[in-house]
């Protein structure tokens, strides 16, 4: 099924990843407003919020968008996700969503909440495949775990 909004979201996310962060953030915020006014559903909300979080300059804003992504995923079914991509299962979203929140709380100095979200990410990590995406998320889990152990609130290293 063609999903024009997801095509726009994907193109915008790619622009942001290519370095056009401000333009991508503005476009995704516009799409968020569109979805909030009936132009989309919880799947769109989840994806937009998840990627908008990564484009924020302020850590509290990043946390807000990650919380919105987690709230929206509760309204997404596997059937809905699979209308976009047959391979998707909502459970597969959860490790990344929880991990984002763990890192947000860690960077804001709330180690207790960070550990709780990290535990949730770990508990759902069996949904990750043995593919580059799954390995990426698992690798970031390790980085967040180490940063928590060190008491660091600094951004994670890119290495």
């Amino acid at each position: 099924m063609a999903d024009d909004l997801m095509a726009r979201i994907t193109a915008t996310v790619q622009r942001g990843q290519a370095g056009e962060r401000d333009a991508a953030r503005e476009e995704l915020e516009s799409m968020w407003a569109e979805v909030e006014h009936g132009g989309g559903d919880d799947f769109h909300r989840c994806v937009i919020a998840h990627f908008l979080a990564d484009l924020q300059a302020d850590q509290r804003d990043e946390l807000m968008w990650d919380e919105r992504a987690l709230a929206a995923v509760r309204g997404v079914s596997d059937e809905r996700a699979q209308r976009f991509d047959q391979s998707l299962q909502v459970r597969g979203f959860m490790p990344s969503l929880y991990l984002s929140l763990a890192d947000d709380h860690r960077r804001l100095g709330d180690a207790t909440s960070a550990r709780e979200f990290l535990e949730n990410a770990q508990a759902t990590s069996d949904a990750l495949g043995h593919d580059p995406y799954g390995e990426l998320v698992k690798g970031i889990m390790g980085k967040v775990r180490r940063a928590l152990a060190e008491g660091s609130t600094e951004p994670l290293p890119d290495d």
Side-chain angles (χ1 to χ4, degrees):
M1 175 181 163
D3 186 333
D4 293 336
L5 182 54
M6 279 306 297
R8 290 173 37 218
I9 293 167
T10 301
T12 302
V13 167
Q14 290 171 344
R15 285 184 62 199
Q17 292 170 341
E20 297 179 47
R21 293 175 56 85
D22 292 339
R25 186 183 65 251
E26 289 173 15
E27 287 178 42
L28 286 172
E29 287 171 350
S30 175
M31 288 180 223
W32 177 266
E34 181 181 325
V35 169
E36 288 297 284
H37 289 80
D41 60 19
D42 284 330
F43 180 72
H44 296 120
R45 283 180 190 82
C46 179
V47 174
I48 291 168
H50 186 59
F51 286 107
L52 254 173
D54 294 337
L55 297 172
Q56 302 303 307
D58 180 85
Q59 193 59 44
R60 293 198 184 281
D61 291 338
E62 185 170 344
L63 173 62
M64 176 194 68
W65 284 109
D66 281 328
E67 289 172 336
R68 287 179 176 177
L70 184 63
V73 79
R74 292 183 182 114
V76 180
S77 67
D78 286 343
E79 293 79 18
R80 169 57 186 102
Q82 290 165 4
R83 288 195 335 241
F84 174 67
D85 181 324
Q86 288 284 58
S87 70
L88 294 179
Q89 292 185 330
V90 174
R91 184 164 164 72
F93 299 178
M94 303 313 294
S96 180
L97 295 174
Y98 286 135
L99 185 57
S100 293
L101 285 159
D103 196 47
D104 294 337
H105 284 287
R106 178 192 67 80
R107 291 184 57 206
L108 288 167
D110 182 354
T112 301
S113 293
R115 282 188 188 91
E116 289 173 13
F117 281 109
L118 184 59
E119 287 174 19
N120 289 337
Q122 185 65 49
T124 57
S125 66
D126 63 316
L128 295 170
H130 299 288
D131 56 16
Y133 174 75
E135 297 307 315
L136 173 70
V137 174
K138 290 172 192 173
I140 295 170
M141 263 188 239
K143 288 181 182 183
V144 171
R145 189 176 294 106
R146 283 189 296 280
L148 271 169
E150 295 167 0
S152 173
T153 58
E154 295 300 313
L156 294 174
D158 287 332
D159 59 33

